[in-house]
């Protein structure tokens, strides 16, 4: 299925209700770098046939509000009502509102902070809203993140592993999530600190000819998930909204336990590493690699979900999920005059259940594509992006705010 994503370092509400209501905690670590919607193109579907170009949405209304005269400038307001059209979610709109600002106008070291909101409304009955913020303060000594999400999503479950090999199960998932994180800068530009997640959800079956499709074990039951964990980040890029040099390292560990009130006891570990090269003043080469591992006995939405967090954009989030996930991608970025830009990207990844299947080539999911950029905020170099991508069994287009990674 296709869903929006929102984040600060790479595009993340990925798999919106598996994040909003299914409690996929990876989203909770990010807020407003990118809001993304995807449209999955599959051969021989009523809405789009093989070889047919995806539809072009009407350009969203984008605004960067200047400060009023007589007032000291503090930040930039970015608004973007993004379209969404998906065979799974239907057609609708994903409104995004974000304010980028310094916590203190006398603090010249801390990166800009972000507060914002994102919603989801589609014609298949999906509704969701997320509110949150990420702040930097005290000369870049502390970083806090807080997020609250609530809503419902109608989507299709394809099961573990390769989703294309299994029939889809139509589900409706409702719920809410609360996430908090507090990080302190330690040595070598490393931020380290605790995080907490609490959420509840209810999964019900939508009307359909089920045949012999296996049902999730927690269908029709209210499910609580509670986790404590920690996060380690090292970011040496000069601009987190448009990195032109440096590296970004991110490791998270979340521990869900019945002793904390969680229905399931399991562990989630995620590692991301991005590197950026400034080839010329207007040309950037970016690489991103990631690994995910899930231990214990997670619910289906607690596994590693391929296609979220812009990992990788040419696959619909949720079609492939399993205990292990890996991937790597490379992107070339070219800034053009008049606020425009172009990108080209490609990569390889996969999901596997583990054991001796970890490095089998049949598990690989390659893809690539390209896109255009338009600069929304000159002050922070925040771009609107439109990407077109092709995987081995589908193609997508996406609209977002901020770079993919």
């Amino acid at each position: 299925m296709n869903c929006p994503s929102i984040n600060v370092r790479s595009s993340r509400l990925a798999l919106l209700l598996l994040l909003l209501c299914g409690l996929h905690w990876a989203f909770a670590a990010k807020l407003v770098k990118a809001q993304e919607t995807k449209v999955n193109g599959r051969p021989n579907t009523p809405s789009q046939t093989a070889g047919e170009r995806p539809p072009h949405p009407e350009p969203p209304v984008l605004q960067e509000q200047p400060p009023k005269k007589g007032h000291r400038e503090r930040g930039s307001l970015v608004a973007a009502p993004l379209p969404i059209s998906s065979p799974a979610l239907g057609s609708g709109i994903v409104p995004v509102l974000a304010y980028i600002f310094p916590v203190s106008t006398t603090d010249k070291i801390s990166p800009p902070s972000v507060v914002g909101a994102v919603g989801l409304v589609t014609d298949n009955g999906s509704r969701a809203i997320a509110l949150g913020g990420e702040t930097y303060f005290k000369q870049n000594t502390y970083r806090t993140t807080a997020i609250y999400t609530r809503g419902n999503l109608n989507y299709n479950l394809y099961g573990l592993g390769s989703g294309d090999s299994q029939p889809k199960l139509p589900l409706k998932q409702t719920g809410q999530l609360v996430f908090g994180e507090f990080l302190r800068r330690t040595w070598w530009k490393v931020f380290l600190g605790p995080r907490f997640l609490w959420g509840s959800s209810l999964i019900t079956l939508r009307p359909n000819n089920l045949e012999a499709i296996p049902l999730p074990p927690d269908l029709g039951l209210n499910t609580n998930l509670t986790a404590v964990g920690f996060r380690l980040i090292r970011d040496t890029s000069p601009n987190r909204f448009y990195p032109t040099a440096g590296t970004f390292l991110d490791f998270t560990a979340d521990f869900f336990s019945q002793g904390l009130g969680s229905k399931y006891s399991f562990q989630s570990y995620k590692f991301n590493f991005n590197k950026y090269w400034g080839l010329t003043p207007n040309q950037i080469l970016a690489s991103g690699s990631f690994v995910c591992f899930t231990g214990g006995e997670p619910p289906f939405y607690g596994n590693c979900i391929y296609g979220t967090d812009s990992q990788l954009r040419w696959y619909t989030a949720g079609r492939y999920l399993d205990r292990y996930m890996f991937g790597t991608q490379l992107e070339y970025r070219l800034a053009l005059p008049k606020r425009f830009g172009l990108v080209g990207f490609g990569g390889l990844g996969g999901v596997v259940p583990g054991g001796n299947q970890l490095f089998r080539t049949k598990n690989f999911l390659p893809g690539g594509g390209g896109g255009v950029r338009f600069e929304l905020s000159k002050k922070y170099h925040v771009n609107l992006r439109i990407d077109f991508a092709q995987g081995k069994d589908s193609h997508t287009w996406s609209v977002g705010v901020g770079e993919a990674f």
Side-chain angles (χ1 to χ4, degrees):
M1 81 183 161
N2 298 329
C3 349
S5 69
I6 208 172
N7 63 43
V8 173
R9 178 39 94 183
S10 58
S11 113
R12 306 163 191 172
L13 275 164
L15 196 53
L16 184 62
L17 243 276
L18 291 185
L19 298 180
L20 288 177
C21 301
L23 314 178
H24 182 41
W25 53 95
F27 156 73
K30 325 285 176 187
L31 177 63
V32 180
K33 179 185 173 188
Q35 164 63 40
E36 176 181 69
T37 64
K38 292 184 178 179
V39 175
N40 183 40
R42 303 193 56 81
N44 302 325
T45 60
S47 59
Q48 192 173 342
T49 58
E52 185 177 352
R53 296 184 65 184
H56 292 273
E58 291 296 323
V61 178
L62 303 166
Q63 298 179 347
E64 180 185 356
Q65 302 292 344
K68 296 181 179 179
K69 292 183 179 181
H71 291 266
R72 187 172 183 179
E73 182 178 359
R74 291 187 58 86
S76 292
L77 180 66
V78 177
L82 303 178
I84 179 173
S85 178
S86 164
L89 294 179
S91 300
I93 190 171
V94 182
V96 181
L97 181 65
Y99 183 59
I100 308 170
F101 66 100
V103 171
S104 172
T105 55
T106 61
D107 185 351
K108 305 301 182 183
I109 299 177
S110 297
S113 300
V114 178
V115 294
V118 57
L120 171 69
V121 179
T122 71
D123 59 3
N124 83 339
S126 296
R127 303 286 188 272
I129 186 171
L131 306 171
E134 184 177 64
T135 60
Y136 294 80
F137 54 96
K138 293 292 185 182
Q139 308 298 316
N140 200 25
T141 301
Y142 300 101
R143 168 181 170 176
T144 64
T145 303
I147 296 174
Y148 174 75
T149 67
R150 186 181 184 91
N152 70 272
L153 179 68
N154 297 332
Y155 64 92
N156 296 319
L157 173 65
Y158 290 84
L160 296 182
S162 175
D164 288 338
S165 65
Q166 305 183 44
K168 58 186 179 181
L169 183 65
L171 299 177
K172 178 178 181 180
Q173 190 163 2
T174 63
Q176 58 184 333
L177 177 149
V178 177
F179 173 84
E181 182 178 82
F182 181 83
L183 306 180
R184 190 188 192 282
R185 181 165 52 88
T186 57
W187 68 98
W188 204 43
K189 298 183 180 181
V190 171
F191 281 83
L192 178 66
R195 46 198 268 135
F196 171 81
L197 181 149
W198 174 88
S200 64
S201 72
L202 173 65
I203 302 175
T204 55
L205 192 65
R206 288 185 286 140
N208 187 59
N209 182 12
L210 299 179
E211 299 177 351
I213 303 176
L215 303 180
D218 50 358
L219 188 69
L221 300 176
N222 282 300
T223 301
N224 290 333
L225 291 182
T226 307
V228 294
F230 68 90
R231 187 180 189 188
L232 182 152
I233 295 178
R234 184 175 189 267
D235 186 0
T236 64
S237 60
N239 182 355
R240 64 194 182 104
F241 300 107
Y242 189 79
T244 57
T247 60
F248 175 78
L249 181 149
D250 186 4
F251 174 76
T252 62
D254 293 288
F255 306 96
F256 294 80
S257 172
Q258 294 180 351
L260 298 173
S262 179
K263 180 178 179 180
Y264 297 93
S265 292
F266 63 100
Q267 309 83 44
S268 171
Y269 306 93
K270 298 183 180 181
F271 176 82
N272 289 268
F273 180 76
N274 303 333
K275 184 171 177 57
Y276 309 94
W277 296 270
L279 306 179
T280 68
N282 64 338
Q283 297 182 81
I284 308 297
L285 187 64
S287 69
S289 300
F290 60 88
V291 177
C292 172
F293 166 74
T294 304
E297 298 297 330
F300 70 88
Y301 48 81
N303 286 278
C304 301
I305 303 176
Y306 199 76
T308 61
D309 298 347
S310 296
Q311 308 163 342
L312 303 154
R313 280 159 284 175
W314 39 91
Y315 288 93
T316 304
R319 184 168 293 277
Y320 297 91
L321 64 158
D322 222 314
R323 304 299 292 270
Y324 297 84
M325 179 175 71
F326 63 93
T328 184
Q329 56 186 324
L330 192 68
E331 180 169 291
Y332 169 77
R333 300 167 183 171
L334 174 64
L336 300 174
K338 306 296 183 180
R339 295 193 176 193
F340 286 95
L342 296 173
V343 303
F345 49 86
L348 180 72
V351 294
V352 290
N356 60 1
Q357 301 185 46
L358 189 56
F359 297 107
R360 291 187 178 181
T361 57
K362 70 177 183 178
N363 297 315
F364 289 166
L365 299 170
V372 297
R373 300 290 184 268
F374 180 77
E375 191 177 49
L376 301 178
S377 171
K378 283 188 174 183
K379 181 175 182 178
Y380 296 108
H381 200 154
V382 179
N383 283 336
L384 169 71
R385 77 171 185 271
I386 301 177
D387 290 332
F388 300 87
Q390 177 68 52
K392 72 175 184 180
D393 52 19
S394 66
H395 61 269
T396 65
W397 66 266
S398 59
V399 180
V401 176
E403 302 309 312
F405 63 96

